[in-house]
């Protein structure tokens, strides 16, 4: 096995100089030419760092934990793939841990016991528990939550306002002034204080005002999210979106000419409800989704949607986490925005006359 002593002998430097360079320690005072000579010697000799020894010495590994509530959900695994790619480029290993209500505390403590260098959390609430456990062990945390910032750690947020502003601007250019919104009625899990649907509803109202458009009373409706078993949950959520759509279509002041939805799944069901009500999309009514799931481009008609930057969110989370890992531990919050965008497809068209 090649050691640092071997590299020091080949490069003609001290072992301490080799240690400084190969461990990327700052403020070493080693000249750039010497540093390059050490790196070249290590590369020629096929040196591989002993990560276990590093972990014993520092108390931390070059492994990042990724806690996720919904690993099978497309936005979740797209974010995970972005985090994985960034971790590999930076020389870290990503360990994904699925979290449920029952295993939540156990998973967080597992991250501490594994001496992880940092934790990325993408959860349905409960981020404060992650912070409390990680803070005791002085493990930095990055939180991926497209809707809500937390008062600790590196907060990685999608700037949904950018994409929704583009969507409203396109609808207005197409002549739409009566625009409705279907929001979520998501239950608070793990002690959460809000949800992404509510956050997007707030942005919708603000963007409408910025464009000089009125959000009419009753033009914001809610689906009711249910979480009591996959079979019942799917059917109940389906009927909930139908009911929310029908309340807009039967509005006493006239139906909106366009409907924005807080997620793509809701928009797809909304289109189905409109068609069953005898309306043509987009000739009679336009529909906009949120997320850009893979299925949205193959739907009939292909769904116009706000495109969430899932891959970029995962990459940003790992990048900011690694930055914190290189600095003296601090629980102080920071916020990092990743812009969303809008992709126009065939579910939006000119407002009917």
């Amino acid at each position: 096995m090649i050691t640092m002593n071997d590299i020091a002998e080949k490069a003609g430097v001290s072992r301490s100089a080799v240690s400084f360079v190969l461990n990327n320690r700052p403020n070493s005072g080693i000249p750039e030419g010497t540093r390059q000579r050490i790196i070249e010697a290590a590369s020629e000799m096929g040196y591989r760092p002993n990560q276990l020894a590093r972990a014993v010495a520092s108390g931390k590994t070059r492994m990042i934990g990724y806690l996720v509530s919904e690993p099978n959900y497309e936005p979740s695994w797209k974010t995970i793939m972005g985090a994985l790619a960034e971790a590999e480029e930076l020389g870290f290993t990503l360990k994904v841990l699925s979290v449920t209500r029952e295993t939540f505390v156990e998973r967080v403590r597992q991250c501490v016991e594994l001496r992880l260098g940092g934790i990325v959390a993408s959860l349905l609430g409960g981020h404060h528990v992650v912070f409390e456990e990680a803070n005791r062990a002085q493990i930095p945390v990055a939180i991926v939550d497209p809707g809500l910032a937390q008062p600790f750690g590196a907060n990685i947020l999608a700037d949904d306002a950018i994409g929704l502003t583009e969507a409203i601007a396109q609808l207005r250019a197409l002549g739409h002034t009566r625009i409705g919104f279907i929001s979520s009625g998501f239950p608070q899990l793990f002690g959460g204080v809000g949800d992404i649907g509510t956050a997007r509803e707030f942005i919708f109202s603000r963007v409408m005002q910025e464009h000089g458009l009125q959000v009419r009373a009753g033009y914001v409706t809610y689906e009711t999210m249910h979480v009591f078993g996959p079979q019942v949950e799917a059917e109940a959520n389906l009927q909930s979106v139908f009911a929310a759509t029908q309340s807009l279509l039967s509005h006493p002041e006239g139906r909106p000419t366009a409907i924005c939805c807080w997620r793509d799944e809701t928009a797809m069901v909304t289109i189905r409800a409109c068609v069953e009500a005898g309306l043509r999309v987009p000739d009679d009514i336009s529909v906009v989704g949120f997320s850009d799931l893979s299925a949205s481009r193959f739907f009939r008609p292909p769904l116009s949607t706000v495109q969430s930057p899932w891959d970029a969110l995962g990459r940003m989370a790992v990048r900011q986490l690694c930055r914190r890992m290189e600095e003296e531990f601090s629980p102080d919050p920071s916020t990092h925005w990743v812009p969303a965008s809008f992709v126009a497809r065939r579910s939006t068209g000119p407002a009917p006359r």
Side-chain angles (χ1 to χ4, degrees), residues 9-312:
E9 183 178 349
K10 181 176 178 62
V13 299
S14 67
R15 186 193 182 284
S16 61
V18 174
S19 177
F20 269 110
V21 171
L22 297 185
N23 286 306
N24 294 315
R25 293 178 186 171
N27 305 319
S28 63
I30 297 174
E32 180 61 24
T34 303
R35 193 180 74 84
Q36 287 298 329
R37 194 162 72 250
I38 292 171
I39 292 173
E40 289 172 5
S43 177
E44 290 173 8
M45 299 178 75
Y47 173 75
R48 294 291 182 272
N50 188 331
Q51 299 293 359
L52 179 58
R54 282 186 177 180
V56 172
S58 67
K60 302 285 171 56
T61 67
R62 288 184 69 82
M63 180 182 292
I64 294 171
Y66 194 112
L67 299 177
V68 57
S69 300
E70 301 176 292
N72 294 325
Y73 186 43
E74 183 177 337
S76 295
W77 55 256
K78 280 186 174 179
T79 309
I80 291 171
M81 294 307 294
L84 177 61
E86 189 71 19
E88 289 179 345
E89 290 177 13
L90 296 175
F92 286 83
T93 301
L94 193 73
K95 183 174 182 63
V96 180
L97 297 169
S98 177
V99 173
T100 64
R101 183 190 295 272
E102 293 73 26
T103 64
F104 187 72
V105 175
E106 176 188 341
R107 288 287 185 267
V108 176
R109 290 176 178 167
Q110 186 179 354
C111 289
V112 175
E113 292 169 0
L114 288 171
R115 295 182 174 182
L116 297 182
I119 298 174
V120 178
S122 182
L123 304 168
L124 298 173
H127 292 109
H128 64 285
V129 178
V130 178
F131 169 73
E132 289 168 2
E133 293 290 337
N135 191 44
R136 291 191 191 99
Q138 294 200 330
I139 297 176
V141 175
I143 298 164
V144 181
D145 189 330
L148 300 166
Q150 302 295 328
F152 47 78
N155 286 268
I156 316 301
L157 303 172
D159 197 341
D160 291 339
I162 293 177
L164 198 48
T165 296
E166 293 176 9
I168 299 299
Q170 195 226 35
L171 289 174
R172 187 171 185 185
L174 291 170
H176 296 276
T177 57
R178 302 197 314 273
I179 305 172
F181 189 85
I182 298 180
S183 186
S184 66
F186 207 89
Q188 303 311 306
L189 304 180
F190 307 141
V193 295
D195 71 277
I196 188 172
T198 302
R200 289 172 177 172
E201 174 191 337
F202 175 80
I203 293 171
F204 168 78
S205 298
R206 191 187 76 207
V207 171
M208 287 283 285
Q209 291 175 0
E210 290 172 354
H211 279 272
L213 299 175
Q214 177 187 1
V215 180
R216 304 189 182 199
Y219 265 34
V220 175
T221 61
Y222 301 85
E223 63 171 294
T224 303
M225 299 293 292
H226 298 275
V227 288
F228 43 81
Q231 198 77 32
V232 180
E233 174 188 339
E235 182 60 29
N237 290 342
L238 183 72
Q239 294 303 321
S240 175
V241 178
F242 261 86
T245 304
Q246 288 166 353
S247 71
L248 289 174
L249 299 183
S250 60
H251 193 280
E253 295 182 14
R255 67 170 183 260
T257 61
I259 299 174
C260 293
C261 301
W262 76 279
R263 59 176 187 159
D264 281 354
E265 299 95 317
T266 298
M268 293 176 191
V269 178
T270 293
I271 289 176
R272 178 176 162 184
C274 289
V275 170
E276 292 193 10
L279 299 175
R280 297 166 300 167
V281 178
D283 295 341
D284 300 317
I285 191 167
S286 291
V287 178
V288 173
F290 217 117
S291 189
D292 195 25
L293 299 179
S294 297
S296 64
R297 69 198 67 182
F298 302 112
F299 199 70
R300 183 180 294 180
L303 185 63
S304 297
T305 184
V306 175
Q307 199 170 47
S308 297
W310 305 116
D311 180 89

